[in-house]
Amino acid sequence: MQEVVLEVDVPHLCTLRPTMETGGRSTDTGLADDPTVSSVKELKDGWQKWCKDHHEYQKHNPFSGRSQATLHLMKGQEGYGRPPEGSKTEQRGFDAHSHISREVQELCDIIRDVGLRREDGSVLVEFGRLFERYVTISNKVVGILLRARRQGLIHFQGEMLWQGRDDRVIITLLP
């Protein structure tokens, strides 16, 4: 019986060598027509490609023992504090930003629904009333309020709002 053994050189994990164990029999096995031989070659080639890509990636990974000196961006330079363009990290950031923006917009809609509209176009609501209504939608009402305030959409007194203690604080949705 013919047996294909894949040997992996441990110090260099990306070195893959297929060998044939013949057991003293003739080396002319007729395996050229065998489809498994080509799939082993494809497996080897795929593994070699993955190893090469991974090796390149590890060169830029500061937490691997093999990282080479990489260009470190300084604060103020283009690209500083940003993920690599087209990376999954960048995509996750875009997705998170759009999700938070939808939550801020939903909060503003709820303030319009439950609040008191003034002549200047602003809408007033007490934090306690807003909290009761919004907490069934999301438990992050205070965080979303802080985000909306940073965006200049709402105004309220104080740094933080606490359920119970700040129920009477007026939140103003700006026009």
Side-chain angles (χ1 to χ4, degrees), residues 84-122:
E85 216 172 293
S87 68
K88 289 181 180 180
T89 302
E90 182 186 45
Q91 184 59 47
R92 284 190 291 267
F94 289 144
D95 294 346
H97 178 74
S98 66
H99 177 74
I100 296 294
S101 296
R102 280 192 306 270
E103 285 197 17
V104 167
Q105 185 59 46
E106 186 176 9
L107 176 72
C108 292
D109 292 341
I110 289 173
I111 291 173
R112 283 187 199 94
D113 288 346
V114 300
L116 207 77
R117 188 171 300 277
R118 295 174 57 190
E119 289 180 15
D120 66 353
S122 62

Side-chain angles (χ1 to χ4, degrees), residues 117-170:
R117 188 171 300 277
R118 295 174 57 190
E119 289 180 15
D120 66 353
S122 62
V123 180
L124 305 176
V125 66
E126 287 183 341
F127 174 66
R129 183 168 180 195
L130 177 64
F131 189 88
E132 286 174 12
R133 173 78 184 271
Y134 193 79
V135 80
T136 60
I137 297 166
S138 173
N139 61 352
K140 302 178 289 268
V141 64
V142 175
I144 301 299
L145 281 167
L146 293 172
R147 179 74 165 217
R149 180 166 68 175
R150 264 185 266 134
Q151 293 177 5
L153 301 172
I154 65 169
H155 173 73
F156 58 87
Q157 294 294 321
E159 294 283 321
M160 180 66 76
L161 296 172
W162 302 96
Q163 182 187 14
R165 186 187 83 179
D166 295 321
D167 283 351
R168 301 301 232 170
V169 172
I170 300 295

Side-chain angles (χ1 to χ4, degrees), residues 26 66 69 154 174:
S26 168
R66 298 183 197 141
I154 65 169
L174 302 173

Side-chain angles (χ1 to χ4, degrees), residues 17 20 29 37 40 44 56 58 80 121 132 135-137 141 156 166:
R17 294 185 304 265
M20 298 283 281
T29 60
V37 171
V40 169
K44 180 191 81 110
E56 279 300 311
Q58 289 298 83
Y80 177 79
E132 286 174 12
V135 80
T136 60
I137 297 166
V141 64
F156 58 87
D166 295 321

Side-chain angles (χ1 to χ4, degrees), residues 2-30:
Q2 305 279 325
E3 184 176 10
V4 175
V5 178
L6 297 177
E7 292 180 3
V8 179
D9 188 11
V10 176
H12 303 92
L13 287 175
C14 293
T15 304
L16 187 66
R17 294 185 304 265
T19 61
M20 298 283 281
E21 296 289 334
T22 60
R25 291 184 299 271
S26 168
T27 57
D28 182 21
T29 60

